Amino acid sequence: MRAEKRKEAVWQAVFAAAGLICVAAVAAIFAFLIFRSIPAFRKIGVGNFLFGTEWAPDRLDRYAAPLSGTYGILPMIAGTFAATLGALLVGGLSGYFTAVFLVFWCPVRLRGAFSAVVDLLAGIPSVVYGFFGIAFLLPLLSEIAPNNGSGLAAVSLILGIMILPTVVSLSRVALEAVPKPLYEGSVALGATHTETVFRVISPAAGSGIRASLVLGIGRAMGETMAVVMVAGNAVAFPSGLFASFRVLTANIVMEMGYAGEVQEGALIATGVVLLGLILLVNLVFGLLSGRLVRSAVSGKNRHRLKPSGVTLLPPRLLRGFAIAAGVLTGGVLVLIIGFVLAKGVPVLVRDPSILWGRFAFGSDDITVLPALVSTLWAVVLSLAVAVPVGILTAIWLQEYAPRGGVAVRLIRGAINLLAGVPSIVYGLFGMLAFVPLFGGSGSILAGSLTVAMMLLPVVVCSTEESLRAVPDALREGSLALGAGKVRTVFCVVLPSALPGILSAVILSMGRVIGESAPLLYTMGSVIKAVPRSVFDSGATLAVALWQLSGEGWYLDEAYATAVVLVVLVLVLNFAARRCASGLGRKMRGI
């Protein structure tokens, strides 16, 4: 009996320790970035840094000598807000109308397929969006632009497409959460279906829709690679739809590789400013989503419906917008994937050695094999760290933690913060913490540990949802038969939640494959030979695509790499949906 109690105590301590790893990760990110940015803030001056209008760094500047360069990031802050606003106008409006179409006008037989389309848009790597922008969108815009098409218009379109799945998913949840009697009462009073949707249901779901827009803002502000590829990146205030400009994330990526002492500190300080902006956005999202939950529970939203600017438009026109947005969303997915496959598959058919050819130094023959091997290394190592820690944390939160306790709030707060940190900020942390730990240069191990931190929120949240879906009757039956708490968790609860956990793992694999910004300065950005150990550097598929498409010299190889990326993402998303469907059938006893 004592041995059983000791076993229970030991495992409970292990579960709690896994949760504390999430807290330690958040503390480490903030500590490293703030500590390394303080000298730059002191040398440059906080006011000069935030409100200076000129960014002309001198890589020879040192903290112990007078500054020769200037370090003002106000143009980048303005560019970030301009890009975010443009993305919101494109993706926010179209996302809202797409959600309305999906809930109220999409045929039932097509609803599952259309939801899959939205999920696929969310899973496409950002570097593929950027490559699509370079190869398709910029040439198209150049027909009407005074330059090659780069600038605010291209950034707004690309970012708008990228945030669209976020807005659609959350707006859909908000619309479906509105009580049915509200719809029935409106129709009973003589309102049409369209009038009810836009003048009753939409205002009632207003908090959730606004929360989706706020989360979309956070996604747009933190995006890196796609913006770098289509913005033009001149350090200037955005002055027009086709004027080159630069955002905060692009500033970090473009200059960190050759930065001097003060310049590096200023770039890290840029990451701190970006992190502060994103956390502010996520705080607003938390407040709005909390308000949505309280309104849904209390029913107050039934009595105070305020029409918005959108709902004041004619209902028939709004219905047309919704149907058009739904068709456009499906068309965007077909266009992006179809374009990549149409351009890339012929390249692979013509020269399949791109996939498995042997790398040779000094040769112009590019092979994807080293990048593919590096990507597989990163997937295996990052999952080996994130999955056990994430599952153990979720078990403690769901099965052991006292409801409303201080430790629970601390760990959940840490997980929410990790979920809101931009990928480029993770890259800065990995560069400062993991790269020096493993020899001072990029390595597969340093990059994998960096990405593992990014995966923790995904694994924890998905696993916790899967555990929550397991009926309490299974737990009670196991305990009634004499099994201990730990045995019940490992032999009853986890097997029942396994399809959902596998779905989270598969989605995490897709996240690793698609990431590029956090790996540039932690894992390596040079396409070279197949790595032989975890301490070697190497470019992943996403990083290789960014490098190959950057100068336009290896577009065929870039198309081939994009095909490999897209196919991998499609397969993983399909597998994740199958696992999630399996969990649903299992919970229903089918």
Side-chain angles (χ1 to χ4, degrees):
M1 193 70 176
R2 290 182 178 178
E4 186 69 22
K5 286 185 178 180
R6 283 198 298 269
K7 179 181 177 182
E8 292 280 348
V10 168
W11 273 108
Q12 187 170 353
V14 171
F15 297 145
L20 292 177
I21 290 177
C22 298
V23 179
V26 171
I29 290 174
F30 279 85
F32 269 86
L33 293 182
I34 293 175
F35 177 77
R36 291 293 297 271
S37 63
I38 286 176
F41 278 124
R42 286 177 175 172
K43 187 69 176 178
I44 302 168
V46 175
N48 293 332
F49 183 71
L50 294 177
F51 303 109
T53 59
E54 184 178 358
W55 176 270
D58 187 340
R59 64 187 310 271
L60 300 179
D61 277 341
R62 299 290 183 268
Y63 290 125
L67 293 180
S68 299
T70 53
Y71 302 86
I73 64 169
L74 188 59
M76 275 82 80
I77 294 176
T80 300
F81 280 108
T84 303
L85 178 60
L88 197 60
L89 291 175
V90 175
L93 287 175
S94 60
Y96 160 71
F97 282 112
T98 299
V100 171
F101 167 78
L102 185 58
V103 175
F104 297 105
W105 278 286
C106 184
V108 176
R109 293 183 178 180
L110 297 179
R111 194 164 294 169
F114 197 87
S115 297
V117 167
V118 175
D119 292 340
L120 288 176
L121 281 173
I124 294 177
S126 61
V127 70
V128 173
Y129 280 112
F131 180 59
F132 172 77
I134 288 178
F136 179 83
L137 185 59
L138 292 189
L140 192 64
L141 291 177
S142 65
E143 298 294 329
I144 59 173
N147 57 5
N148 67 342
S150 61
L152 185 59
V155 171
S156 299
L157 290 171
I158 292 296
L159 283 183
I161 296 172
M162 293 179 70
I163 71 170
L164 188 145
T166 301
V167 178
V168 171
S169 299
L170 293 176
S171 297
R172 176 187 180 186
V173 171
L175 291 168
E176 290 177 338
V178 176
K180 289 185 178 179
L182 203 63
Y183 174 88
E184 295 167 351
S186 175
V187 174
L189 290 173
T192 65
H193 173 72
T194 302
E195 290 172 338
T196 300
V197 167
F198 288 108
R199 293 182 176 172
V200 177
I201 304 298
S202 287
S207 294
I209 294 170
R210 287 191 292 271
S212 72
L213 297 177
V214 171
L215 198 60
I217 289 172
R219 170 74 193 276
M221 292 179 69
E223 179 52 43
T224 304
M225 306 310 296
V227 179
V228 172
M229 299 170 81
V230 299
N233 302 307
V235 181
F237 289 97
S239 57
L241 292 178
F242 300 105
S244 178
F245 71 105
R246 185 182 296 188
V247 298
L248 292 170
T249 54
N251 197 45
I252 298 170
V253 165
M254 295 184 64
E255 299 197 6
M256 185 59 76
Y258 57 84
E261 185 178 66
V262 176
Q263 185 179 4
E264 179 181 287
L267 294 173
I268 296 172
T270 303
V272 172
V273 173
L274 176 66
L275 180 59
L277 292 174
I278 298 293
L279 293 182
L280 180 61
V281 168
N282 280 274
L283 176 63
V284 174
F285 167 73
L287 294 175
L288 287 175
S289 57
R291 180 183 171 188
L292 169 66
V293 173
R294 291 192 298 271
S295 298
V297 173
S298 65
K300 291 180 179 179
N301 56 352
R302 303 182 194 183
H303 309 293
R304 294 186 297 175
L305 304 181
K306 298 179 180 180
S308 65
V310 172
T311 58
L312 293 177
L313 295 175
R316 290 185 179 180
L317 179 62
L318 294 173
R319 178 187 176 184
F321 285 161
I323 296 174
V327 174
L328 183 63
T329 299
V332 165
L333 177 69
V334 172
L335 177 62
I336 294 175
I337 295 179
F339 177 78
V340 170
L341 294 179
K343 290 287 189 178
V345 170
V347 174
L348 290 174
V349 171
R350 187 168 61 248
D351 185 12
S353 65
I354 292 176
L355 290 177
W356 57 74
R358 182 180 179 86
F359 177 84
F361 284 100
S363 172
D364 287 334
D365 295 330
I366 302 296
T367 172
V368 178
L369 182 61
L372 185 59
V373 174
S374 298
T375 302
L376 293 177
W377 270 110
V379 169
V380 172
L381 292 176
S382 59
L383 291 182
V385 174
V387 171
V389 174
I391 291 176
L392 293 175
T393 301
I395 290 174
W396 188 79
L397 289 172
Q398 182 60 31
E399 306 294 331
Y400 286 91
R403 298 294 181 256
V406 175
V408 175
R409 291 199 298 268
L410 184 63
I411 292 174
R412 290 195 187 281
I415 293 169
N416 291 334
L417 286 174
L418 286 175
V421 173
S423 60
I424 188 62
V425 174
Y426 277 108
L428 286 176
F429 171 75
M431 184 191 71
L432 299 175
F434 296 134
V435 170
L437 194 62
F438 302 113
S441 60
S443 65
I444 294 175
L445 186 56
S448 300
L449 290 174
T450 302
V451 175
M453 295 178 64
M454 299 180 60
L455 299 181
L456 280 176
V458 177
V459 178
V460 172
C461 295
S462 298
T463 302
E464 193 176 0
E465 287 296 323
S466 300
L467 295 174
R468 192 177 292 122
V470 177
D472 288 336
L474 294 180
R475 297 178 176 87
E476 295 165 356
S478 176
L479 294 173
L481 291 172
K485 180 79 170 182
V486 172
R487 184 178 294 275
T488 298
V489 168
F490 282 109
C491 297
V492 177
V493 178
L494 276 181
S496 299
L498 189 59
I501 296 173
L502 287 177
S503 176
V505 172
I506 293 170
L507 288 175
S508 297
M509 293 172 62
R511 178 81 181 270
V512 179
I513 291 172
E515 281 297 340
S516 50
L519 300 176
L520 280 173
Y521 301 116
T522 58
M523 189 168 167
S525 58
V526 179
I527 304 173
K528 54 183 184 179
V530 173
R532 298 184 177 182
S533 76
V534 296
F535 298 102
D536 289 344
S537 63
T540 62
L541 284 169
V543 175
L545 175 58
W546 184 67
Q547 293 283 18
L548 291 171
S549 62
E551 300 295 335
W553 294 340
Y554 300 101
L555 277 182
D556 283 349
E557 291 80 0
Y559 282 122
T561 306
V563 167
V564 176
L565 265 176
V566 167
V567 170
L568 285 175
V569 168
L570 292 178
V571 170
L572 291 174
N573 273 273
F574 176 77
R577 291 182 66 86
R578 293 286 294 180
C579 287
S581 174
L583 175 63
R585 289 197 300 271
K586 192 170 186 178
M587 292 299 102
R588 293 191 300 269
I590 300 177

